[in-house]
Amino acid sequence: MKRYEAVARAIGERIEQGLYRVGDRLPSIRRLCQEFQVSVSTAQEAYRRLEEAGAVEARPRSGYFVAPRVTPSVLPRVSRPARRPLDVSQWDQVLELVGESPDQDRLLRLGRGIPDLDAATLRPLLRRLSTLHRRAGAQDLNYDSLAGSLELRRQIARLATASGCLLHPDDLLVTTGCQEALSLSLRTLAGPGDVVAVDSPSFYGTMQILKAQGLKALEIPTDPQTGISLAALELALEQWPVRAIQITPTCNNPLGYTMPETRKRALVALAQRFDVAIVEDDIYGDLAFTTPRPRTIKSFDDDGRVLLCSSFSKTLVPGLRVGWIAPGRYRDQVLHMKYVSTGASATLPQLAVAEFIAHGHYERHLREMVRQYQRQRDIMLGWVARDFPQGTGVSYPQGGFLLWLELPGEVDCVRLNARLAEERLHIAPGSLFSASGKYRHCLRLNYAAALTGAVEAAVKRVGEIAASLLVEHAGMPE
Amino acid sequence: MKRYEAVARAIGERIEQGLYRVGDRLPSIRRLCQEFQVSVSTAQEAYRRLEEAGAVEARPRSGYFVAPRVTPSVLPRVSRPARRPLDVSQWDQVLELVGESPDQDRLLRLGRGIPDLDAATLRPLLRRLSTLHRRAGAQDLNYDSLAGSLELRRQIARLATASGCLLHPDDLLVTTGCQEALSLSLRTLAGPGDVVAVDSPSFYGTMQILKAQGLKALEIPTDPQTGISLAALELALEQWPVRAIQITPTCNNPLGYTMPETRKRALVALAQRFDVAIVEDDIYGDLAFTTPRPRTIKSFDDDGRVLLCSSFSKTLVPGLRVGWIAPGRYRDQVLHMKYVSTGASATLPQLAVAEFIAHGHYERHLREMVRQYQRQRDIMLGWVARDFPQGTGVSYPQGGFLLWLELPGEVDCVRLNARLAEERLHIAPGSLFSASGKYRHCLRLNYAAALTGAVEAAVKRVGEIAASLLVEHAGMPE
């Protein structure tokens, strides 16, 4: 046996025995050299072999980690939504998820899109907010500029270079969260009865914009690893008068994939050929598990047809309601739409975020969060593998903090939620993510916050109840 | 000469001589008794006579004040807008008014709808904001409830009793300023091509909502003292398929009138007869110069067809973006529209306002502001009477801080603004307040902030330049 093989086997055995668990960081190259008395190249080769075998994952600038035991066979299937434009439904379930009714307050919501709010690296933001409000006079609470604070737009333009975008502060408008950015975009581009093509499953917040505006959703088959099917999209563009393509191509919600760059580029070319606008939701983009982060579709846009929408709700905190949009050639219309919708945005939250970024706190916070979310993804994958019925498909997120599960058989997650409510638990049923309530056998889980014993127990119960529904279903007469 | 006549004449002469100026408080009854050695009833009768003669104004609980020299003959005329639904234009001028382009920063804007931000009674609000932000953890910056903070909705419901409304906190939704409340309302009620009846002149922010949503404005003749013509509205409702009536009946922007209660009640009856909804903008309502404040149209609404919209942008500060809506029977639709437009609102500003109200600071602040705005209205009326061309019509606001001027002849206020720009001045041209750019010979002035010498000089220059345009026009060939 070669020396690197011996080292690889020793590490592999420790993983098998549970000495290192899924998501754990493995010894550094240097420590491996010391422990086994081998050269650097031998230690590297050992990890390379383990990586090839799928046991270990390399993360740039972080080291080697125990990989989750996922095989491609248990990924969710490529979606097969309806092949015609549909009216959007499912509002009642969205209301339930965002917890409008007061008696739902005590539910442990495993499915919401909320980041970890306990991170220590958020503290400088809280301090800036406090200082700005302590020093504020009422004149600081006047109407801000409609486009938003120039300081913040400068910082966003600077950050955007990391995703391959060259933006000028004047290209940007500050919004009330990403939700307003998406809403302004779709209202600018399309009116009642118009068709919007969307990836599928797709974020329920955007789907509900379509519903409110009387737009029809044309759901396009989507691969859980590479995103929207360009072939299916092309067919759809030929067949239907599509006014806009709405898509979340990076750290997708709910599937977690990032579209490869070549496919992003091809999507822009397709949009150009059919002269259709693209609304790109990049709200999770900065939480990608790779460095540098993936490029946006906007970065390939050479004629201003991409409206890039984002916010700090997933990377920092949702409650400041600071989002932004780079609306390309639609700037004037989107500015008008912003004026009539909410007017100028609140000034001080914008300044606090701008200063947080300017002092390097944002990038530091992101590094921490990406590390945490990647680790917790793996832990959650382990729990799901252990606690859910055999045959459960599960996504393999490339960023963000959301996991998508496809349950076997005909398990109905709306029914699952009804059962879970008795135990004060709640998941996001997959039907939210479809215009017509498809994906009822799917669900979304959040792994952002600390994965405590309570969360572990909760996930276990979801798996158990899902399994019981599966058995019930199997026993039902046809 | 009777004794009260002698006293009245003496006070009248002092006013003539400028010893007491427009808006000044006159001696109390008690001091009048002392000075002239007369009985209380004689002193009262003297003031009653002066009041009848229009020289003096009684204000409940405040005393007697020098009245502005306004006679009904110089009120603006009843508006005569187009008698058919129109598409809304004028967006470029709105942009100029709200000061989007950076080189406009140094303009002295005499026409914006901004309250006095230097009031000492705002300080407790700043302190609450500071304390809440100092104590806040990131968990306080999570998504709030979609309907808004219950504490704030409780306080708003309590305040609403002053305007005759019995509202439950569940009847209320918090919005991003009144602008979002109006926008949600109109988007809920009407779609592209639909007709909305509006008072005329009408707030440009609402007109621009109509433009953005593809709605048509049916402008109804409006009396500068009693509001929208019910006869004209009735005819319009018979003739056109009106989907909603949008109106600012209390402390109207820009005209300053308050519709009498009987007319408000009649408007509700009319809306019921034609089964049409009413969107009531009450943003200036709490700034009425009478105690108690006038009732809202909503207070006469017995079948939930009135959507009452307001905010704290004119009564407190605009930059917190805290507004609200009581959407009546449209609650569920408006809540959905709110979710898709901006999601939940920021929590801490809501809590700060709620605590400010709960501790009695809001009512104290209002009392101060109402006193100040009424005094400054009179001073501004005096300046306008002195500095503007003869024949200038001027509104007589019953609340708020906005004055509407109707210039004689064909003076074009868009042209006036171009001239004013050379001197770094800016007014709100009347054409903003019409769908089709009518009222170009009108303008709006703001008298909220301290009326300093600089403001007096600025108003004087506006008057002089207006006069010069009038002369130029008179000299032009037909």
Side-chain angles (χ1 to χ4, degrees):
Chain A
M1 190 186 291
K2 299 219 169 115
R3 299 204 68 173
Y4 65 80
E5 285 175 345
V7 175
R9 178 175 293 185
I11 298 294
E13 279 170 1
R14 289 182 199 169
I15 293 171
E16 285 295 321
Q17 292 158 6
L19 291 173
Y20 302 125
R21 297 177 58 172
V22 170
D24 278 357
R25 183 199 299 248
L26 290 164
S28 66
I29 294 287
R30 165 190 282 210
R31 291 199 40 201
L32 223 55
C33 295
Q34 289 170 343
E35 185 183 345
F36 292 93
Q37 293 294 317
V38 296
S39 68
V40 168
S41 62
T42 299
Q44 281 175 331
E45 185 61 19
Y47 274 141
R48 209 183 60 76
R49 294 283 162 143
L50 284 164
E51 206 182 344
E52 273 180 12
V56 155
E57 247 183 11
R59 296 182 196 164
R61 296 201 273 182
S62 291
Y64 292 89
F65 292 77
V66 180
R69 285 164 218 177
V70 179
T71 62
S73 65
V74 296
L75 276 173
R77 284 163 290 179
V78 174
S79 65
R80 303 202 184 290
R83 290 173 178 269
R84 60 183 196 285
L86 292 173
D87 288 325
V88 175
S89 55
Q90 316 304 320
W91 167 234
D92 289 346
Q93 287 175 44
V94 174
L95 258 185
E96 198 179 314
L97 178 70
V98 300
E100 193 47 25
S101 70
D103 63 312
Q104 295 186 335
D105 276 355
R106 281 164 303 156
L107 286 187
L108 174 56
R109 282 198 176 71
L110 297 166
R112 284 201 72 176
I114 296 174
D116 183 20
L117 298 175
D118 294 323
T121 42
L122 282 175
R123 279 184 209 139
L125 178 65
L126 298 170
R127 279 199 299 273
R128 286 314 305 160
L129 270 173
S130 171
T131 306
L132 284 165
H133 281 88
R134 193 178 69 238
R135 292 187 190 152
Q139 292 288 356
D140 299 304
L141 300 174
N142 203 339
Y143 292 108
D144 202 333
S145 138
L146 202 48
S149 137
L150 181 58
E151 288 85 342
L152 179 59
R153 288 183 285 128
R154 279 199 185 116
Q155 294 302 327
I156 294 170
R158 194 174 63 72
L159 290 177
T161 57
S163 62
C165 271
L166 285 177
L167 295 173
H168 187 273
D170 289 348
D171 298 329
L172 293 160
L173 305 176
V174 175
T175 59
T176 310
C178 189
Q179 187 66 25
E180 187 178 38
L182 294 165
S183 173
L184 300 178
S185 298
L186 289 165
R187 284 159 57 204
T188 294
L189 295 171
D194 284 344
V195 177
V196 175
V198 296
D199 43 19
S200 179
S202 190
F203 170 49
Y204 47 80
T206 316
M207 302 291 264
Q208 294 299 319
I209 296 172
L210 303 188
K211 178 179 170 70
Q213 187 71 353
L215 304 173
K216 287 180 186 299
L218 182 56
E219 299 172 291
I220 308 294
T222 298
D223 183 286
Q225 287 188 293
T226 60
I228 193 166
S229 160
L230 295 178
L233 179 61
E234 185 172 358
L235 277 173
L237 291 171
E238 275 165 8
Q239 194 175 356
W240 304 98
V242 171
R243 295 300 291 265
I245 302 164
Q246 199 287 316
I247 195 170
T248 308
T250 308
C251 310
N252 176 269
N253 172 12
L255 279 166
Y257 64 79
T258 289
M259 269 179 89
E261 275 191 16
T262 49
R263 306 191 74 247
K264 285 178 175 168
R265 206 187 288 266
L267 180 63
V268 171
L270 198 57
Q272 285 176 340
R273 219 180 90 208
F274 287 89
D275 194 19
V276 58
I278 299 175
V279 179
E280 179 179 17
D281 180 352
D282 190 53
I283 193 168
Y284 292 94
D286 279 358
L287 295 173
F289 298 154
T290 49
T291 310
R293 58 148 288 173
R295 290 182 62 164
T296 50
I297 289 181
K298 178 79 180 171
S299 74
F300 301 110
D301 174 30
D302 52 19
D303 60 359
R305 69 178 61 245
V306 179
L307 300 93
L308 177 65
C309 302
S310 192
S311 86
F312 298 97
S313 296
K314 308 305 180 188
T315 47
L316 299 178
V317 293
L320 291 180
R321 311 307 296 128
V322 177
W324 55 271
I325 181 169
R329 63 165 83 152
Y330 303 97
R331 184 186 181 279
D332 292 350
Q333 289 143 276
V334 171
L335 183 72
H336 183 250
M337 201 57 93
K338 158 82 176 153
Y339 169 72
V340 303
S341 300
T342 55
S345 292
T347 303
L348 297 182
Q350 296 182 63
L351 291 182
V353 173
E355 293 181 11
F356 184 79
I357 301 170
H359 289 90
H361 298 303
Y362 181 73
E363 275 130 331
R364 198 166 308 138
H365 175 67
L366 276 190
R367 276 198 301 275
E368 279 305 313
M369 289 299 100
V370 161
R371 212 170 288 158
Q372 171 176 329
Y373 294 155
Q374 194 169 12
R375 190 175 60 239
Q376 299 194 164
R377 171 198 65 184
D378 296 342
I379 295 170
M380 185 64 96
L381 283 172
W383 292 351
V384 168
R386 185 188 66 196
D387 298 331
F388 273 71
Q390 204 162 14
T392 297
V394 59
S395 63
Y396 190 61
Q398 302 301 303
F401 45 74
L402 301 169
L403 206 61
W404 180 256
L405 271 59
E406 187 177 65
L407 297 175
E410 303 289 319
V411 172
D412 178 348
C413 289
V414 176
R415 213 169 135 225
L416 174 62
N417 248 349
R419 288 275 189 97
L420 290 172
E422 296 162 19
E423 310 192 16
R424 301 240 146 257
L425 297 174
H426 192 275
I427 48 90
S431 44
L432 290 185
F433 301 82
S434 158
S436 57
K438 273 184 81 89
Y439 315 125
R440 276 177 89 103
H441 62 304
C442 297
L443 64 93
R444 192 183 73 175
L445 292 178
N446 177 320
Y447 54 79
L451 294 180
T452 59
V455 177
E456 183 172 8
V459 170
K460 193 172 159 69
R461 277 305 287 156
V462 177
E464 285 169 358
I465 297 175
S468 74
L469 289 177
L470 184 62
V471 171
E472 278 176 34
H473 179 80
M476 271 164 59
E478 284 301 304
Chain B
M1 188 187 294
K2 300 223 168 112
R3 298 204 67 173
Y4 66 78
E5 284 176 346
V7 174
R9 177 173 295 184
I11 298 294
E13 279 171 0
R14 289 182 199 168
I15 293 172
E16 283 294 321
Q17 290 157 8
L19 291 173
Y20 301 125
R21 297 177 59 172
V22 170
D24 278 358
R25 183 198 296 247
L26 291 162
S28 67
I29 294 288
R30 165 190 278 211
R31 291 200 40 201
L32 222 57
C33 296
Q34 291 170 343
E35 185 183 345
F36 292 93
Q37 294 293 316
V38 295
S39 69
V40 167
S41 62
T42 301
Q44 282 174 330
E45 184 62 19
Y47 272 141
R48 210 184 59 75
R49 293 287 161 141
L50 283 164
E51 206 181 343
E52 273 182 11
V56 156
E57 248 183 11
R59 295 182 196 163
R61 296 201 272 181
S62 293
Y64 293 89
F65 292 77
V66 180
R69 283 162 218 178
V70 178
T71 61
S73 64
V74 296
L75 276 172
R77 285 163 291 179
V78 174
S79 64
R80 301 201 186 290
R83 288 170 179 270
R84 61 183 196 285
L86 293 173
D87 288 324
V88 175
S89 53
Q90 317 303 318
W91 167 233
D92 290 346
Q93 287 175 45
V94 174
L95 258 186
E96 198 179 315
L97 178 70
V98 300
E100 193 46 25
S101 68
D103 64 311
Q104 296 185 335
D105 277 355
R106 281 164 303 157
L107 286 185
L108 175 55
R109 284 200 175 71
L110 296 166
R112 284 201 71 178
I114 297 173
D116 183 20
L117 298 175
D118 294 322
T121 43
L122 282 176
R123 279 185 209 140
L125 178 64
L126 297 170
R127 279 199 299 272
R128 286 315 306 160
L129 271 174
S130 171
T131 306
L132 283 166
H133 280 89
R134 193 178 69 237
R135 290 186 192 154
Q139 291 288 356
D140 298 305
L141 301 174
N142 203 339
Y143 292 108
D144 201 335
S145 137
L146 202 48
S149 135
L150 182 58
E151 289 85 343
L152 179 59
R153 288 183 286 127
R154 279 200 184 115
Q155 294 302 327
I156 294 171
R158 196 176 61 72
L159 290 177
T161 57
S163 62
C165 271
L166 285 178
L167 295 174
H168 187 273
D170 288 347
D171 299 329
L172 292 160
L173 304 176
V174 175
T175 59
T176 309
C178 189
Q179 186 66 27
E180 187 177 39
L182 293 165
S183 173
L184 300 177
S185 299
L186 289 165
R187 284 159 56 204
T188 295
L189 295 170
D194 284 344
V195 178
V196 175
V198 296
D199 44 17
S200 180
S202 190
F203 170 47
Y204 47 80
T206 316
M207 302 290 265
Q208 294 299 319
I209 296 172
L210 304 188
K211 179 180 171 66
Q213 187 72 352
L215 305 172
K216 287 178 187 301
L218 182 56
E219 299 172 291
I220 308 295
T222 299
D223 184 286
Q225 288 187 291
T226 59
I228 194 167
S229 161
L230 295 179
L233 179 61
E234 185 172 358
L235 277 173
L237 290 171
E238 276 165 6
Q239 194 174 357
W240 303 100
V242 171
R243 295 299 292 265
I245 302 165
Q246 198 287 315
I247 195 170
T248 309
T250 309
C251 310
N252 176 268
N253 173 12
L255 279 165
Y257 64 79
T258 288
M259 270 180 88
E261 273 190 18
T262 49
R263 306 192 72 247
K264 285 178 175 168
R265 205 186 289 265
L267 180 63
V268 172
L270 199 57
Q272 284 175 340
R273 218 179 90 209
F274 287 89
D275 193 18
V276 58
I278 299 176
V279 180
E280 179 178 20
D281 180 353
D282 190 53
I283 193 169
Y284 292 95
D286 279 358
L287 294 173
F289 298 153
T290 50
T291 309
R293 59 148 288 173
R295 290 182 62 164
T296 49
I297 289 181
K298 178 79 179 171
S299 75
F300 301 110
D301 173 30
D302 52 18
D303 60 359
R305 69 178 61 244
V306 179
L307 300 93
L308 177 64
C309 302
S310 192
S311 86
F312 298 96
S313 296
K314 309 304 181 188
T315 46
L316 299 178
V317 293
L320 290 180
R321 311 307 296 126
V322 176
W324 55 271
I325 181 168
R329 64 165 83 154
Y330 303 97
R331 183 187 182 279
D332 292 350
Q333 289 145 277
V334 171
L335 182 72
H336 183 251
M337 201 58 93
K338 157 83 176 153
Y339 168 71
V340 303
S341 301
T342 55
S345 292
T347 304
L348 298 182
Q350 297 182 64
L351 291 182
V353 172
E355 293 180 12
F356 184 81
I357 301 170
H359 289 91
H361 298 302
Y362 181 73
E363 274 132 330
R364 198 166 306 134
H365 175 67
L366 277 189
R367 277 198 299 277
E368 278 304 312
M369 289 297 100
V370 161
R371 213 171 286 158
Q372 169 176 329
Y373 293 154
Q374 192 168 14
R375 190 173 62 240
Q376 298 195 164
R377 171 197 65 183
D378 296 343
I379 294 171
M380 185 63 96
L381 284 171
W383 292 352
V384 168
R386 186 187 67 196
D387 297 331
F388 273 71
Q390 205 164 12
T392 297
V394 58
S395 64
Y396 191 60
Q398 302 301 301
F401 45 74
L402 300 168
L403 205 63
W404 180 255
L405 272 59
E406 186 176 66
L407 297 175
E410 302 289 321
V411 173
D412 177 350
C413 289
V414 176
R415 213 168 134 226
L416 174 62
N417 248 349
R419 288 274 188 96
L420 290 171
E422 296 162 18
E423 311 193 15
R424 300 240 147 259
L425 298 173
H426 192 275
I427 49 91
S431 43
L432 289 185
F433 301 83
S434 158
S436 56
K438 273 184 81 93
Y439 315 124
R440 275 177 90 102
H441 63 302
C442 297
L443 64 93
R444 191 183 74 174
L445 291 177
N446 177 319
Y447 53 78
L451 294 179
T452 59
V455 177
E456 183 172 10
V459 170
K460 195 173 158 70
R461 279 304 288 155
V462 177
E464 285 168 357
I465 296 175
S468 74
L469 288 176
L470 183 62
V471 171
E472 276 175 35
H473 179 81
M476 270 164 61
E478 285 299 307

